[in-house]
Amino acid sequence: MGLSSDTGAGLRIFVLILLIVVLFFGGMVWFDYLGIINAREQIAFVYALINREEGLQIDDKDHVFLLEHERFNKMREALDIKEEELNRISEELAMRDIEIRQRVEILGEREKALLERENSFNVRTLLYDNKIANLEQSSRYLTGMHPNNARDILLQMNDQDVIDLLRVTERLSQEAGEMSLVSFWLSLMPPERSASIKRKMTIKPNELGT
């Protein structure tokens, strides 16, 4: 009877000790899994026993791979967004390049038109200056010759050339402070021709000799 009681008491003590050990290591495994403590090296044999006997695997590799996978996904999303932004910027730059090229072409055409207009103006100015110079020279020739000879030359010219020459002669006489021969030349012409020239000189503004 006494032996049976001692055996039962010893068995209960053993079971209690085993339970305490199991709870101790189980608690360490749980805290290690939660990341509160790092007891993997100290209780590595317990992991080995658990993995071998119960087929449980507590491995942080899956957790690490999951974090890396999430990080990779985030990086890929960021790169996709960056790529879209770069594509948008590239399209905007392409559109601006087209607009700039079009504006350069328009400015080139305008510059060409202005250059042509300037050249045309220079040519007209040169012709005008040459005409004035020629008229001034002709006026001096006529003024220096006999009035009848000057009249004969004027009668051979058309009305517009006569008007231009008479206006230049009038201007040169005023600049020199001398009496103009224009009225005298007109008095030597036939009345109809003289009247026609006077009428045209009155109607048309003085474009030459000013």
Side-chain angles (χ1 to χ4, degrees):
M1 186 70 177
L3 182 60
S4 177
S5 298
D6 293 337
T7 301
L11 180 61
R12 286 195 297 274
I13 293 173
F14 176 77
V15 171
L16 290 175
I17 293 174
L18 181 62
L19 180 60
I20 292 172
V21 172
V22 170
L23 291 175
F24 175 75
F25 284 106
M28 291 186 66
V29 170
W30 178 250
F31 288 141
D32 181 77
Y33 178 75
L34 295 177
I36 299 175
I37 62 174
N38 185 9
R40 179 158 298 193
E41 295 181 358
Q42 290 78 1
I43 58 174
F45 67 95
V46 176
Y47 282 99
L49 291 175
I50 294 174
N51 292 335
R52 183 175 61 254
E53 294 179 359
E54 299 182 4
L56 296 177
Q57 294 183 355
I58 303 177
D59 194 353
D60 284 345
K61 290 183 178 180
D62 293 339
H63 183 64
V64 172
F65 288 156
L66 181 61
L67 292 177
E68 291 296 330
H69 181 69
E70 291 295 329
R71 187 179 295 110
F72 175 77
N73 288 337
K74 294 294 183 181
M75 292 177 61
R76 185 170 60 184
E77 291 177 359
L79 290 175
D80 291 340
I81 295 174
K82 192 66 176 180
E83 184 179 3
E84 293 178 357
E85 182 69 15
L86 291 175
N87 291 335
R88 184 182 63 81
I89 295 175
S90 178
E91 292 177 357
E92 291 180 355
L93 291 176
M95 293 297 296
R96 290 181 181 178
D97 182 67
I98 294 174
E99 292 178 358
I100 291 174
R101 291 179 182 273
Q102 292 176 347
R103 291 181 180 180
V104 169
E105 292 179 358
I106 294 174
L107 290 176
E109 293 176 355
R110 290 181 178 177
E111 183 179 2
K112 183 179 179 180
L114 289 175
L115 182 60
E116 292 177 352
R117 186 179 302 174
E118 182 180 0
N119 292 335
S120 178
F121 176 78
N122 291 336
V123 170
R124 291 196 303 270
T125 302
L126 181 61
L127 293 175
Y128 178 83
D129 292 340
N130 290 338
K131 183 176 181 180
I132 293 296
N134 292 334
L135 288 172
E136 290 178 350
Q137 187 64 35
S138 298
S139 175
R140 292 187 180 95
Y141 287 149
L142 293 177
T143 303
M145 66 177 57
H146 192 277
N148 290 332
N149 294 334
R151 176 203 60 189
D152 294 338
I153 293 175
L154 290 173
L155 290 176
Q156 296 176 6
M157 300 168 58
N158 61 51
D159 288 353
Q160 185 58 52
D161 291 339
V162 172
I163 291 171
D164 293 339
L165 185 56
L166 294 180
R167 284 172 175 166
V168 169
T169 302
E170 187 72 26
R171 177 176 61 82
L172 292 177
S173 299
Q174 292 178 358
E175 292 175 356
E178 300 175 351
M179 183 178 295
S180 174
L181 296 177
V182 171
S183 298
F184 186 59
W185 287 341
L186 290 173
S187 65
L188 297 177
M189 292 182 180
E192 294 181 359
R193 182 71 186 279
S194 176
S196 176
I197 292 174
K198 290 180 180 179
R199 180 175 53 83
K200 292 179 179 178
M201 290 181 68
T202 303
I203 294 174
K204 187 174 181 179
N206 186 0
E207 295 180 353
L208 297 173
T210 56

